[in-house]
Amino acid sequence: MKKKICQYLSNVLVEMSEEELLKLVEIPPEEKMGDLAVPCFAMAKKMRKNPMQIATELVEKLDEQKDELEIEKVESVGAYCNIHLKRDLFVKKCFESLQKDKYGVSQIGAGKTVCMDYSSPNIEKNFHVGHLRTTVIGNSLYKIYQKLGYDVVRINHLGDWGTQFGKLIVAYKLWSSEELVKEKGIEELLRIYVKFNAESEKNEDLIVEAREWFVKMEQNDPEALEIWNWFKEISMVEFERIYDLLGISFDSYLGESFYRDEVPALVDELKEKGLLVESQGAQVIDLEEYHMPPCLITKCDGGSIYHSRDIAAILYRKEQYRFEKCFYVTGLEQSLHFKQIFKAIEVMGYDWADGLVHVPYGLVSLAREKLSTRGGHIVYAEDILKEAIERAYHANYGKESVIS
């Protein structure tokens, strides 16, 4: 539409070429000013006229071909000619363009791989609205990079390891049963997880017991791992239902638990490079020089931690996929975490660290309160998706599609 308008104006204004007009036409800062605006200051010198007079003349010329140019309204405001397009036709043309097979396609990424780490829900918790945001943003980036010719590896880095599973095992043994979990699935796991956090505020012994169970997991205790794996299977059924609803799939579901066995090799490398420092019994990378807190690698008991498993995952992915870039789509509150692990990769001497990118988004809140599974303050993704589908159906029922 813009090109068509500029072609017409270049024919009636011999002083300005189509190319010059295309560079000149801009999008107004406010919707009420129209969809396109032609500032007439640059024309004034060529046409030897007052810019406000030129704007008035442009309005007259465009009015003559308003229907042909698909213009709803055109008006002069000072030295500007503001153009309001016929929105229904504009939207229809946009959809028609988007439906073309090659729209926006290029090969700038041909032969290159990018990793896209997104969604990554925690096992034993319902898929909530916070997970929905990372999933949708990450999948959109996947589609964009795929259209640019990149080989995109879609990674769902499941949150399937950590002290929270010790908490869940304790909660299961105290307040649930095999029958209840089989009957209610993830709903029951969430119930006892929330109950544990409420009860542990009154009884600190529960926290100690949870840590003991997680240590058992780290030591490959058969009972602990059997319960953990069972909970994981229940969670995956829930997640797959949501992904099916969204039409989204992944190339890898390797979660935190996979990389715990990679941490000892990481520790050896850091020791060899003289980067590990002891701090209150734990092993850390000192990042004070970069104005950041230390990056924790192993806890006092020698167990792995979120940071070390993420660094191990980066090294594994680089070796496995030879990525050009690796994107992490998570909440803004995790910015420091990613700054630390990206800096850790850099100080380890890897010159490809600048290919690690955090894509943050804002907090999802409800009634000005941060969503929290621990406190039971959550909105389920499935409820939102079903309501969105229902609303879309009712909004469009009986209406002709704009692309029909």
Side-chain angles (χ1 to χ4, degrees), residues 28-193:
E30 295 181 36
E31 186 178 353
K32 66 181 180 181
M33 296 177 179
D35 301 296
L36 298 172
V38 185
C40 300
F41 304 102
M43 298 180 185
K45 189 174 181 181
K46 281 195 173 188
M47 298 176 69
R48 292 189 172 89
K49 291 181 180 179
N50 184 294
M52 288 184 284
Q53 181 187 347
I54 297 171
T56 302
E57 291 177 7
L58 290 182
V59 169
E60 293 172 359
K61 295 292 184 183
L62 290 171
D63 257 332
E64 292 173 6
Q65 297 292 321
K66 193 163 64 171
D67 291 337
E68 177 66 25
L69 296 171
E70 298 169 346
I71 292 173
E72 184 72 39
K73 181 177 71 171
V74 60
E75 57 189 356
S76 61
V77 180
Y80 287 83
C81 172
N82 290 347
I83 302 166
H84 298 257
L85 301 174
K86 290 185 176 179
R87 291 291 181 89
D88 55 343
L89 291 175
F90 178 71
V91 171
K92 183 177 180 180
K93 284 180 178 292
C94 286
F95 272 101
E96 287 172 348
S97 296
L98 289 169
Q99 286 183 308
K100 293 176 182 176
D101 289 341
K102 299 296 182 182
Y103 184 84
V105 173
S106 81
Q107 289 300 310
I108 63 171
K112 299 175 183 176
T113 297
V114 296
C115 290
M116 200 70 65
D117 183 323
Y118 60 104
S119 195
S120 309
N122 289 329
I123 296 301
E124 109 282 320
K125 299 176 185 177
N126 288 73
F127 201 103
H128 61 63
V129 64
H131 299 130
L132 193 59
R133 184 173 287 192
T134 168
T135 304
V136 171
I137 295 172
N139 201 61
S140 298
L141 289 173
Y142 148 67
K143 290 184 176 181
I144 291 170
Y145 273 84
Q146 187 184 49
K147 287 287 187 181
L148 294 175
Y150 288 90
D151 179 19
V152 186
V153 183
R154 297 163 295 175
I155 298 173
N156 195 332
H157 187 69
L158 296 170
D160 63 356
W161 201 253
T163 311
Q164 68 268 31
F165 296 100
K167 295 177 181 180
L168 197 62
I169 292 173
V170 172
Y172 166 68
K173 287 183 169 291
L174 287 175
W175 304 302
S176 190
S177 65
E178 183 177 348
E179 292 73 23
L180 274 173
V181 173
K182 284 182 176 179
E183 178 189 348
K184 297 185 178 180
I186 202 162
E187 179 187 342
E188 176 65 6
L189 297 184
L190 179 64
R191 182 189 71 81
I192 60 175
Y193 182 76

Side-chain angles (χ1 to χ4, degrees), residues 288-300:
E288 185 178 1
E289 173 183 351
Y290 306 100
H291 311 291
M292 282 186 266
C295 181
L296 187 60
I297 299 299
T298 59
K299 297 179 289 185
C300 300

Side-chain angles (χ1 to χ4, degrees), residues 283-327:
Q283 297 287 321
V284 304
I285 301 174
D286 185 4
L287 298 177
E288 185 178 1
E289 173 183 351
Y290 306 100
H291 311 291
M292 282 186 266
C295 181
L296 187 60
I297 299 299
T298 59
K299 297 179 289 185
C300 300
D301 59 9
S304 63
I305 191 71
Y306 189 31
H307 296 77
S308 53
R309 293 191 289 269
D310 272 3
I311 295 170
I314 290 171
L315 297 175
Y316 174 87
R317 291 170 187 173
K318 185 64 177 179
E319 183 178 355
Q320 188 79 9
Y321 305 115
R322 302 295 175 189
F323 60 74
E324 184 86 2
K325 287 185 179 294
C326 185
F327 295 91

